[in-house]
Amino acid sequence: MAVKFRDYYEILGVARSAKEEEIKKSYRKLARKYHPDLNPNNKQSEEKFKEIQEAYEVLSDAEKRRRYDQLGANWKNGAEFTPPPNWGGGGFQGTINMEDLFGRAGQQRSTAFSDFFEMIFGGVGGAAETGGFGGGAAGAGARARSGRTAPRGEAETELALPLEELHRGTQRKLTVQLGNTEKTIDIRIPPGARDDTKLRIPGGSPNGGDLYVRLRQQPHPRFTVNGDDTEVEVSIAPWEAALGANIQVPTLDGSSEIRIPAGVASGQRIRLRGQGLNIRGGARGDHYVRLKIVLPKELTDAEKKLFEELAKVSPFRPRNGSQT
């Protein structure tokens, strides 16, 4: 059966030789642009967001990317595609992240990747209910395949969660499939969990052994994580940088007002103590706001006149580090 080929590199706007960091950077930019929370009631943006999620699911995983690259570089996005003879796409052994990042609290959506994805990596179904920027609803469901089977009937799988749910903790129903046997269990994610945290569920495996759930953090469209700390980049105007200003900035808890001191430089960070990630035992990391000075794309006549006047009267000489 022919399906529409998906050029995941083109979807993310990166070259086939792109490094992991380039792929992640492009994904975050596009996810922020097309995220349904920022484009309410926009079906086109929602579909584009799904494409971006699917592309990142493949290109951020070394094994899936290697398998995808075996198809060659001559296919065009949207072209009729039939897998090569003896492809055997259903033989992929790994955990497929089927988290639906654009669900809303109180709603239940089912999601599946494209027919092309299913053909290449095998049919893996699943559904999840999670939040956008604000985290997900407790009790949401997810489906995963066991990534490996360990001795004594133990099994291991992965579960991808938004940063907010790892930070605050949540409850999930997880359906684990092992061969022709599947089992649905309730798991509790404790506050302060991190990417690569491993949970042990006694008797949670479909064959009666223990189940180990390795947590993975979904890339966040705004925040980056460094240990217990979080960071966000915020744009400011030149006059705010020069004169100082009070502005609202996003945090894990919503937003917070900060004071920008006069004379800050682009790239300078402001530290918000105790507003980073939860730490087991009750403490919290710090949240950093990295400032980025941006100019208007087009100046009005009045703005241009003011900048011209500033250029005449200011002794500032940025290329020699002197104000004289």
Side-chain angles (χ1 to χ4, degrees):
M1 180 186 72
V3 296
K4 298 293 185 183
F5 183 83
R6 289 208 167 184
D7 188 333
Y8 294 135
Y9 294 100
E10 180 179 317
I11 290 171
L12 291 185
V14 297
R16 294 182 69 88
S17 58
K19 303 297 184 184
E20 180 181 353
E21 191 57 37
E22 295 176 69
I23 292 171
K24 184 181 293 186
K25 182 178 180 180
S26 180
Y27 163 77
R28 284 176 174 160
K29 180 179 179 181
L30 292 170
R32 185 180 304 147
K33 179 179 180 181
Y34 291 103
H35 198 289
D37 280 359
L38 300 181
N39 300 275
N41 303 317
N42 188 326
K43 187 65 175 178
Q44 186 176 1
S45 290
E46 184 172 307
E47 291 303 316
K48 182 66 175 178
F49 188 72
K50 290 180 182 179
E51 282 190 0
I52 294 164
Q53 288 299 124
E54 181 175 318
Y56 187 73
E57 174 69 29
V58 174
L59 299 187
S60 65
D61 184 287
E63 176 59 23
K64 295 191 190 78
R65 184 178 181 183
R66 180 194 67 78
R67 190 168 179 81
Y68 174 72
D69 286 346
Q70 288 177 350
L71 298 174
N74 296 324
W75 292 94
K76 300 298 182 183
N77 197 43
E80 293 292 323
F81 171 80
T82 302
N86 302 318
W87 173 255
F92 178 79
Q93 294 299 316
T95 302
I96 306 297
N97 169 20
M98 299 302 291
E99 302 299 316
D100 177 10
L101 290 188
F102 32 84
R104 302 289 192 276
Q107 298 178 345
Q108 183 68 29
R109 295 191 181 196
S110 62
T111 182
F113 289 147
S114 68
D115 291 340
F116 173 76
F117 182 97
E118 299 284 333
M119 178 177 286
I120 299 304
F121 299 106
V124 183
E129 181 186 5
T130 68
F133 294 124
R143 182 181 296 269
R145 281 189 177 182
S146 175
R148 69 170 179 87
T149 301
R152 301 183 306 279
E154 296 177 351
E156 181 175 318
T157 191
E158 292 184 352
L159 177 61
L161 294 171
L163 174 62
E164 289 86 353
E165 292 192 8
L166 292 174
H167 166 63
R168 300 187 184 104
T170 188
Q171 298 280 341
R172 283 296 184 103
K173 286 188 180 294
L174 180 66
T175 300
V176 183
Q177 183 174 332
L178 187 63
N180 294 323
T181 305
E182 70 175 34
K183 183 177 184 178
T184 299
I185 58 174
D186 293 312
I187 61 172
R188 185 183 72 85
I189 314 299
R194 298 286 187 270
D195 183 74
D196 210 36
T197 292
K198 195 173 182 179
L199 305 178
R200 175 175 170 266
I201 314 298
S205 171
N207 54 16
D210 292 344
L211 174 67
Y212 292 88
V213 180
R214 191 177 298 276
L215 303 179
R216 296 297 185 193
Q217 179 204 314
Q218 295 169 348
H220 197 282
R222 297 213 65 177
F223 301 141
T224 57
V225 175
N226 183 18
D228 299 326
D229 300 331
T230 52
E231 183 174 309
V232 65
E233 183 179 82
V234 174
S235 298
I236 60 173
W239 45 91
E240 290 177 319
L243 304 175
N246 292 331
I247 66 171
Q248 291 288 327
V249 297
T251 69
L252 283 169
D253 302 313
S255 66
S256 182
E257 184 177 284
I258 65 170
R259 174 66 186 172
I260 300 175
V264 297
S266 198
Q268 187 170 331
R269 297 197 309 171
I270 295 178
R271 180 183 183 183
L272 280 66
R273 291 181 181 273
Q275 294 195 41
L277 296 175
N278 280 325
I279 302 173
R280 302 255 182 118
R284 287 186 66 169
D286 297 327
H287 184 57
Y288 290 87
V289 178
R290 184 178 295 274
L291 302 174
K292 180 182 180 181
I293 301 173
V294 295
L295 286 166
K297 291 184 178 180
E298 295 184 6
L299 295 176
T300 65
D301 290 342
E303 288 171 332
K304 186 176 181 180
K305 185 176 180 180
L306 288 171
F307 274 115
E308 289 172 345
E309 183 65 24
L310 179 63
K312 292 178 182 178
V313 302
S314 176
F316 182 51
R317 300 293 181 268
R319 284 171 292 285
N320 63 14
S322 172
Q323 290 192 357
T324 59

